[in-house]
Amino acid sequence: MNILIVGSGGREHALAWKIAQSPEADQIFCAPGNAGIAEVATCVDIAADAIDELVAFAGQNRIDLTVVGPEGPLSAGITDAFEAAGLAVFGPSAAAAEIEASKTYAKGLMEKYGIPTARGRAFSDPEKARKYIRTMEEPIVVKADGLAAGKGVVICSTRKQAQDTVKQMIQDKIFGDAGKTVVIEECLTGEEASFIAFTDGTHIVPLPASQDHKRVYDGDRGSNTGGMGAYSPAPVVDAVMQQKIMDQIMRPAVRAMAAEGRPYKGVLYAGLMIDKDKIRVVEFNCRFGDPETQPLMMRLKSDIVPLLRAVVHGGLDKCRIQIDPRPAVCVVMAAGGYPGSYAKGAGISGLANVRRMKDVAAFHAGTAAKNNEIVTAGGRVLGVTALGDDIVKAISRAYKAVEKISWKNVHFRTDIGAKAKKRLSAAPAVGIIMGSDSDLPVMSAAADLLKRFDIPYELTVASAHRTPERAGEFAETARKRGIRVIIAGAGHAAHLAGAMAAHTTVPIIGVPIDSSALSGFDALLSTVQMPPGVPVATMAVGKPGAKNAAVLAAQILALSDPGLEARMVSYKSAMADEVNAKARSLEG
């Protein structure tokens, strides 16, 4: 296949690097490309937004597939133009790309179809916007409606700052037409994550979760940027949270676009805010994230070309992806002054040294070749990306590579991946173990509630019959790992909870699961009928039992944790308030 990549950043370099590994790729072109992309593809001097020229080039050079990187050409209709010319192209139509190109459209879509997001409204009249701001609690988020290169979102600590930002966007036009309408939202709290998936308009194949670092300085301080680094996987998105994201956000979004007559084909990016057990959409993007693509491509073991082709031509439901279990970390090296004004043309040294490092790639973003030298040509210059056996080793390897590269006034954050390290360092207080991964929809009820109470947990699968050694080891080592309660769920004969209890002094809570013709009654009896001296606290069958298991685990832990005790009191109070509200509603 002859493949054309449209774009010139680190995302496009990562895509070109991955596509070049495919046996299906014959010739690879990139328009316009950069100095790094030129090592794996033929760069063509055509701008990414020169749609007519790109269509002509693709036709003349018998391009079999065009892969569009940036959002600008997608929102301008590059996919529509290629398809009208009979050319295969990966990326959504202009109508579908509006999910990123207009935050007002995206907000309306999410509200109409019940996709969780921040409370807010759109305004074109600055006075009405300022009036609305006066009703809101601080801090307040002000977003330019259109595309602003990832810099059109301002988190305002005061109402005055929010009002000033509205003036700058609507009246002073700092983002041009992109800011003639603004979206004003409540400020969400929690931890951000990026969730990116391939979709053919019906089927969805997700990539692992990742996390971007938007602010320019360590500790998430300073101005927003296009992204100063990323890592994957993001520990904040475990198996339970991934299922929620698919069920509450990704599938509803794809169905919503189809229902609106804008079938979405390409890659859909959901920027998320995760607060304990709650997820809300911060933004949708119509393309691969940058710099999230860099660590994702490092971890993707599957050939990417069949995936791209299946999105365009069909068959995505038959595609499966293989992911390297090792984490990957990308550190963006930027020009000093970015995201404000910065100099170009500084010579970059050390790239050859990095090229010799194992499991490391320096993806070029803003570079150019000049007089046989690689020089800076943009704000974000390189995305130095490394794999490691764990997140600590991946971070270390990435920064060792960064240390080998230099140019005048280089800037980079030194804390990429710190949130992952912190989250992974927290010892689990509860162990959740299931007899099969098919039990996850039930046991997720326990995990969700533990998240709400901010109780760290460990989730795994082991069978009392098929992997008894694994089940026994989990129980025997639980206390050493910090686990103080085990929740065990299983169906059929349901011996898992009892097997756990036989191997540990940690309290065991059993959750019978309905997985047979006996509606879970067999699992209930197997779990509750334990011999003297091997107790299992047995819950009800299914999700209600899993939820109560988490409540009981929290109550056990709260005996020695005053903070958790306070959260439990609030939880019980909220339940009472809910019942009282229903009673008042019925009583009129």
Side-chain angles (χ1 to χ4, degrees):
M1 294 178 67
N2 292 337
I3 298 173
L4 170 64
I5 300 166
V6 176
S8 61
R11 164 186 50 220
E12 288 76 31
H13 189 186
L15 289 170
W17 174 83
K18 187 63 184 175
I19 289 169
Q21 297 170 23
S22 173
E24 295 192 34
D26 294 323
Q27 281 191 293
I28 305 172
F29 300 91
C30 189
N34 61 39
I37 294 173
E39 296 177 4
V40 293
T42 300
C43 291
V44 182
D45 189 18
I46 302 175
D49 58 359
I51 294 174
D52 291 343
E53 291 181 56
L54 290 168
V55 169
F57 176 87
Q60 292 162 6
N61 290 272
R62 298 182 180 179
I63 299 298
D64 299 294
L65 177 65
T66 295
V67 181
V68 184
E71 63 275 18
L74 290 167
S75 63
I78 189 171
T79 294
D80 308 77
F82 269 70
E83 289 180 346
L87 296 166
V89 58
F90 177 90
S93 65
E98 197 169 358
I99 200 168
E100 176 175 3
S102 171
K103 292 180 178 63
T104 302
Y105 173 77
K107 176 69 67 180
L109 184 84
M110 287 186 276
E111 290 175 348
K112 181 177 179 179
Y113 290 94
I115 298 169
T117 188
R119 177 178 57 86
R121 287 179 57 189
F123 297 91
S124 298
D125 183 324
E127 187 49 46
K128 289 181 180 178
R130 284 190 280 268
K131 185 177 179 181
Y132 181 69
I133 287 168
R134 289 195 287 270
T135 70
M136 298 189 71
E137 293 184 5
E138 300 168 342
I140 300 163
V141 178
V142 181
K143 298 179 176 180
D145 174 67
L147 300 176
K151 301 168 193 172
V153 177
V154 181
I155 299 171
C156 305
S157 56
T158 66
R159 294 184 185 89
K160 183 181 184 306
Q161 185 187 359
Q163 291 171 341
D164 291 343
T165 301
V166 166
K167 178 181 179 296
Q168 291 168 357
M169 289 187 183
I170 297 179
Q171 294 169 281
D172 299 343
K173 299 181 178 180
I174 60 169
F175 296 120
D177 287 345
K180 65 183 181 183
T181 298
V182 298
V183 175
I184 300 170
E185 293 181 343
E186 64 176 318
C187 186
L188 299 178
T189 57
E191 187 172 341
E192 289 193 62
S194 304
F195 198 86
I196 299 171
F198 296 96
T199 177
D200 60 4
T202 303
H203 308 100
I204 302 172
V205 175
L207 286 164
S210 53
Q211 188 174 92
D212 187 11
H213 298 66
K214 285 290 186 188
R215 300 296 190 98
V216 67
Y217 299 125
D218 287 5
D220 293 329
R221 295 178 297 107
S223 302
N224 265 352
T225 69
M228 293 300 296
Y231 60 83
S232 173
V236 70
V237 180
D238 60 11
V240 172
M241 186 57 68
Q242 171 153 329
Q243 192 61 52
K244 288 184 74 170
I245 292 167
M246 290 293 289
D247 291 343
Q248 296 183 16
I249 292 166
M250 303 306 284
R251 290 190 184 99
V254 171
R255 287 195 296 264
M257 294 299 283
E260 292 293 303
R262 306 181 187 212
Y264 193 99
K265 295 173 65 175
V267 68
L268 181 62
Y269 169 127
L272 308 171
M273 184 67 77
I274 300 175
D275 185 13
K276 298 184 175 67
D277 62 327
K278 300 288 191 298
I279 44 173
R280 286 191 277 183
V281 177
V282 176
E283 63 179 357
F284 279 119
N285 291 331
C286 64
R287 35 71 189 186
F288 286 100
D290 189 348
E292 295 96 332
T293 302
Q294 288 85 312
L296 288 174
M297 291 302 104
M298 289 283 282
R299 296 189 66 211
L300 181 62
K301 296 177 75 173
S302 305
D303 186 342
I304 194 174
V305 172
L307 284 164
L308 300 172
R309 195 178 61 243
V311 167
V312 176
H313 298 296
L316 188 63
D317 55 317
K318 298 179 180 64
C319 292
R320 299 292 181 269
I321 61 173
Q322 270 192 307
I323 299 295
D324 192 320
R326 295 176 296 170
V329 174
C330 171
V331 179
V332 168
M333 302 182 72
Y338 174 80
S341 59
Y342 52 83
K344 298 180 182 180
I348 303 171
S349 63
L351 288 170
N353 295 330
V354 171
R355 198 175 290 115
R356 288 191 288 268
M357 294 179 69
K358 184 180 179 182
D359 293 328
V360 175
F363 294 115
H364 292 224
T367 66
K370 184 178 180 181
N371 298 327
N372 295 318
E373 184 182 27
I374 305 298
V375 300
T376 63
R380 293 188 295 171
V381 178
L382 297 171
V384 181
T385 310
L387 289 162
D389 290 338
D390 56 38
I391 190 67
V392 173
K393 291 177 181 176
I395 292 168
S396 174
R397 183 171 286 159
Y399 277 106
K400 282 180 181 176
V402 166
E403 289 171 3
K404 295 178 185 293
I405 301 170
S406 64
W407 67 84
K408 186 178 180 181
N409 294 328
V410 62
H411 167 70
F412 54 88
R413 283 180 57 159
T414 63
D415 63 346
I416 304 302
K419 289 179 184 176
K421 283 172 61 176
K422 181 179 179 181
R423 185 170 286 274
L424 292 171
S425 68
V430 176
I432 301 177
I433 187 165
M434 307 169 281
S436 167
D437 60 355
S438 63
D439 299 332
L440 184 59
V442 172
M443 300 305 288
S444 63
D448 277 344
L449 209 59
L450 293 175
K451 286 179 186 289
R452 184 183 301 183
F453 296 142
D454 213 13
I455 298 172
Y457 63 85
E458 181 179 321
L459 180 74
T460 192
V461 173
S463 169
H465 301 106
R466 292 178 293 243
T467 57
E469 297 85 1
R470 177 176 172 78
E473 183 184 11
F474 182 90
E476 289 169 358
T477 61
R479 191 177 292 277
K480 290 181 181 178
R481 301 199 311 277
I483 292 174
R484 296 163 63 193
V485 183
I486 293 174
I487 301 173
H492 287 84
H495 291 151
L496 182 60
M500 294 281 105
H503 286 86
T504 185
T505 57
V506 170
I508 305 294
I509 305 172
V511 180
I513 293 175
D514 177 6
S515 60
S516 73
L518 298 176
S519 302
F521 193 62
D522 50 347
L524 175 62
L525 290 179
S526 296
T527 305
V528 76
Q529 294 283 31
M530 294 301 300
V534 191
V536 171
T538 305
M539 301 293 105
V541 176
K543 280 191 174 184
K547 187 173 182 179
N548 274 343
V551 174
L552 180 56
Q555 289 175 333
I556 292 170
L557 296 173
L559 292 172
S560 58
D561 185 338
L564 179 55
E565 169 65 18
R567 294 197 292 277
M568 293 300 299
V569 169
S570 296
Y571 172 72
K572 298 277 188 178
S573 177
M575 283 197 300
D577 290 345
E578 187 177 333
V579 173
N580 289 332
K582 290 177 180 177
R584 288 192 295 270
S585 176
L586 287 172
E587 293 164 359

